[in-house]
Amino acid sequence: MVTMSMKSLLVIVLAGILAGKLPETVLGDSVADIVTPEFFNGIINQADASCAGKSFYSRDRFLEATNSYPQFGTVGTSDDSKREIAALFAHFTHETGHFCSIEEIGGPSRPSEDYCDETNTQYPCAAGKGYYGRGPIQLSWNFNYGPAGNSIGFDGLGSPETVATDPLVSFKTGLWFWMNNCHSIITSGQGFGPTIRAINGALECDGQNPDTVRARVGYYTSYCSQLGVAPGDNLTC
């Protein structure tokens, strides 16, 4: 039986759909509601004051980047959103050392052919360019820089350094990788562990580096606790 209050809610929802938006009471928490200044600053403030990332990464640029990925943190219930955000920030934290590093440690000093898959003819490496880790997810390899650049709108192959000089592009690369490789893992309920495999499984999973796996899981469970949500099952890889 549909009560008057339920009818009223249905009217509100229908009106929101026709207007192209839904009221927050129906949608639940937004990404900005979950990634509060306290949450973001609680991570980056653990980085040393001398870290390059301290003046590069910011909550504002992250939230701006999410505008290009409206499905991020908005699929399912509020708890689902919190788990996805906790998972993403766990990897951000691990990859950058609490937003300390913009570029992979030692990356600029390595030969430019590092992280160049010469067999990938669709995204050929540009002469003199290195595709080592950059940004919050530490985007690596020409076969990631190429399509990321095409999707976001920068020259990923010719100017991979943009990921380390433009904070908005940098966060967008992290979200691009996440949405293409990890979003469906989390939203389908597979758990946090498979996201580790998607990001760095060959070097960490199946006993390759249990310490780094534990570190990622530790960040994830800590952030879930901060956000007031259970971490779920299948945490390791």
Side-chain angles (χ1 to χ4, degrees):
M1 179 177 179
V2 179
T3 66
M4 288 302 295
S5 60
M6 291 175 65
K7 286 182 179 179
S8 298
L9 180 59
L10 289 172
V11 169
I12 292 172
V13 172
L14 179 59
I17 292 172
L18 293 175
K21 61 181 180 180
L22 289 174
E24 189 171 322
T25 53
V26 176
L27 282 176
D29 295 332
S30 68
V31 174
D33 292 328
I34 299 170
V35 184
T36 62
E38 292 75 19
F39 178 81
F40 189 93
N41 292 337
I43 298 172
I44 198 169
N45 285 346
Q46 295 185 59
D48 191 86
S50 62
C51 292
K54 292 278 280 190
S55 59
F56 183 77
Y57 300 111
S58 71
R59 174 178 177 266
D60 286 346
R61 294 292 78 75
F62 169 73
L63 293 177
E64 185 178 357
T66 63
N67 291 333
S68 297
Y69 300 92
Q71 292 291 92
F72 171 73
T74 63
V75 176
T77 66
S78 178
D79 283 356
D80 294 329
S81 297
K82 290 175 181 178
R83 273 187 283 269
E84 180 169 21
I85 287 168
L88 178 69
F89 275 87
H91 291 301
F92 280 1
T93 301
H94 180 79
E95 294 291 332
T96 64
H98 295 90
F99 291 118
C100 176
S101 300
I102 303 172
E103 298 182 300
E104 181 179 342
I105 296 173
S109 65
R110 294 178 180 174
S112 61
E113 63 265 27
D114 271 9
Y115 298 99
C116 174
D117 179 3
E118 295 181 356
T119 66
N120 190 300
T121 57
Q122 184 177 5
Y123 299 107
C125 302
K129 297 296 182 179
Y131 303 100
Y132 50 82
R134 296 181 179 91
I137 208 76
Q138 291 290 280
L139 190 75
S140 305
W141 295 98
N142 52 306
F143 52 73
N144 282 320
Y145 274 89
N150 291 344
S151 176
I152 295 167
F154 76 100
D155 187 357
L157 293 175
S159 300
E161 60 274 8
T162 305
V163 182
T165 59
D166 186 325
L168 180 57
V169 168
S170 195
F171 270 124
K172 283 185 177 182
T173 62
L175 286 163
W176 172 86
F177 185 90
W178 181 264
M179 297 305 291
N180 281 279
N181 297 279
C182 302
H183 174 71
S184 63
I185 293 172
I186 289 292
T187 58
S188 63
Q190 296 178 51
F192 179 73
T195 68
I196 304 175
R197 188 176 297 279
I199 290 173
N200 207 22
L203 296 178
E204 297 182 20
C205 295
D206 303 314
Q208 295 296 309
N209 198 332
D211 288 342
T212 59
V213 171
R214 279 193 292 270
R216 292 183 194 266
V217 173
Y219 290 131
Y220 171 65
T221 55
S222 174
Y223 296 157
C224 282
S225 178
Q226 289 180 42
L227 298 176
V229 65
D233 300 322
N234 200 19
L235 298 182
T236 66
C237 63

